Amino acid sequence: MNKASLSFWQGKRVLVTGHTGFKGCWLSLWLQRLGAEVTGVALAPNTHPSLFMLAKVDNSLKSYECDIRDTYKVSRTIHEAKPEIVFHLAAQSLVRASYRDPLATYATNVQGTANVLESLRGLEHARVVVAITTDKVYRNLEQPYPYRETDHLGGHDPYSASKAAAELVVASYRDAFLAEQGVAVATARAGNVIGGGDWAEDRLLPDAVRAWSTEQSVYIRHPGAVRPWQHVLEPLFAYLCLAEQLYENPKKAGAYNFGPRPHDAATVEDVITQACKSFGSGEIEWGGGHAGPHEANWLALETAKARTVLGVEPHWQLVQSVSRTMNWYRRQLAGESAQALCLEDITAYESL
């Protein structure tokens, strides 16, 4: 993070929806470190343990417990906060959970996004919105082709479809209302994020840590599935860069892919094997790729737009990202401070 960025964020009023979630916690800690005045809007943490509680994320920000589907409460909170910059992360973010409760997924991810954007209409101080969607917004053709921002949106599972629909909602609000108001609006498409402090269900490394820390084996459903894996600080840094540049140049509004270069996408087997080495021990039970509901087998993103328009490139390769993630978990399980471990990784990333 350069000095210009440090001075940019100092004193900025920033709203983070979903600040109690995994990525929201890391982003809130980083923004506070940069000197921003952060307001968080989210439900209470839904995992135990939770990074939000362990890292004491709410110690120096205004935290509001609010269901993003509650139109009135979202509007009231945002109007009280008067944010200049909004990072919208609040979501139902799990594919398998979306099969169990598709209506809640659509309500949260589509109507919730509309609620946030509607609350910004006519809000005097608003300047920038970065809405976080996912790498899964594309109509997946199961071909070894990295998806570009201009490719068709789609989604087989309710989670992916809800996020693709959220992209349309964001584009509509940008074009119909917010651009004319002077608010620069962008979507950030990134996924398969790893890093310490994630305890969500049905995620590869959290599942592995839960199993290995209790001397159980971890079951890998789809070892051959290819994904654009990245450390959590990679997309968060991209979001910060995007917001800063939108603030200075609203013409950069639009959709952006963030992730490793397409040829650096890796299989689940590659990641879990490296994670086992980094953790120091652990048993793995391999599935045949047919268990559970449908999930895409191959997914990679073309990130040329982020490089050329924003100057954003990944810094940590897969081995380093996995190693840092498992080191975080090992040290936290041994009793070290979750907040200190997060800030240590942020400091290391800023020094690059």
Side-chain angles (χ1 to χ4, degrees):
M1 187 74 66
N2 59 40
K3 292 181 180 179
S5 295
L6 288 169
S7 63
F8 172 82
W9 290 102
Q10 189 72 38
K12 286 289 190 301
R13 293 189 306 279
V14 181
L15 178 81
V16 178
T17 72
H19 70 297
T20 60
F22 167 55
K23 287 168 69 177
C25 286
W26 278 89
L27 179 59
S28 297
L29 288 171
W30 204 344
L31 285 165
Q32 291 174 72
R33 177 186 175 87
L34 293 171
E37 298 177 8
V38 183
T39 298
V41 177
L43 294 174
N46 64 354
T47 66
H48 182 76
S50 79
L51 183 60
F52 182 74
M53 300 300 293
L54 289 177
K56 300 178 174 60
V57 175
D58 61 342
N59 273 9
S60 55
L61 57 74
K62 295 178 181 177
S63 181
Y64 294 89
E65 186 172 329
C66 174
D67 190 326
I68 206 71
R69 297 171 294 183
D70 187 331
T71 304
Y72 171 75
K73 195 169 183 180
V74 168
S75 177
R76 185 182 65 186
T77 304
I78 290 178
H79 279 253
E80 288 178 0
K82 296 181 174 62
E84 298 168 86
I85 298 171
V86 175
F87 292 100
H88 175 45
L89 284 77
Q92 193 301 95
S93 59
L94 299 171
V95 171
R96 285 160 69 89
S98 78
Y99 279 104
R100 293 194 295 269
D101 196 346
L103 291 182
T105 299
Y106 286 117
T108 300
N109 295 349
V110 184
Q111 184 62 50
T113 297
N115 286 343
V116 171
L117 297 173
E118 177 67 19
S119 299
L120 296 172
R121 289 181 61 191
L123 195 63
E124 180 182 357
H125 305 283
R127 291 282 301 276
V128 170
V129 178
V130 177
I132 312 307
T133 59
T134 176
D135 54 5
K136 298 174 180 64
V137 297
Y138 297 105
R139 184 189 302 168
N140 195 307
L141 304 176
E142 296 289 359
Q143 296 176 357
Y145 166 88
Y147 293 98
R148 303 171 184 270
E149 291 85 350
T150 53
D151 284 329
H152 290 295
L153 300 178
H156 182 282
D157 59 88
Y159 167 71
S160 301
S162 72
K163 284 295 196 173
E167 288 273 354
L168 298 178
V169 169
V170 172
S172 172
Y173 265 88
R174 177 177 58 236
D175 297 342
F177 307 114
L178 296 177
E180 183 178 0
Q181 185 181 314
V183 181
V185 183
T187 56
R189 302 168 180 176
N192 295 97
V193 172
I194 60 175
D198 187 2
W199 281 284
E201 64 173 344
D202 290 332
R203 285 190 179 147
L204 182 63
L205 296 191
D207 284 350
V209 170
R210 273 188 289 267
W212 295 340
S213 63
T214 56
E215 299 184 350
Q216 304 291 315
S217 64
V218 62
Y219 178 71
I220 303 303
R221 299 189 306 271
H222 301 281
V226 175
R227 297 288 187 270
W229 308 93
Q230 58 185 325
H231 191 275
V232 63
L233 294 182
E234 298 282 7
L236 295 186
F237 178 72
Y239 304 163
L240 293 170
C241 290
L242 175 57
E244 183 177 347
Q245 294 191 42
L246 289 173
Y247 194 95
E248 304 295 341
N249 184 1
K251 292 183 179 179
K252 292 186 177 182
Y256 291 85
N257 289 339
F258 295 121
R261 292 178 183 269
H263 62 269
D264 288 329
T267 66
V268 169
E269 182 176 358
D270 291 335
V271 173
I272 200 66
T273 301
Q274 179 61 41
C276 189
K277 292 179 182 177
S278 298
F279 196 71
S281 63
E283 296 294 326
I284 304 170
E285 183 181 351
W286 302 104
H290 306 295
H294 173 273
E295 295 183 65
N297 187 59
W298 201 97
L299 177 60
L301 298 179
E302 176 54 72
T303 54
K305 182 180 178 182
R307 293 196 304 273
T308 56
V309 177
L310 304 176
V312 171
E313 295 194 65
H315 293 295
W316 286 344
Q317 299 300 311
L318 180 64
V319 171
Q320 187 175 11
S321 298
V322 174
S323 175
R324 281 192 170 273
T325 299
M326 303 313 287
N327 180 60
W328 193 105
Y329 282 114
R330 279 192 293 102
R331 292 170 62 185
Q332 191 275 327
L333 288 168
E336 293 192 45
S337 160
Q339 184 181 100
L341 291 169
C342 290
L343 294 176
E344 181 180 311
D345 278 349
I346 290 171
T347 299
Y349 195 91
E350 287 178 337
S351 68
L352 296 172

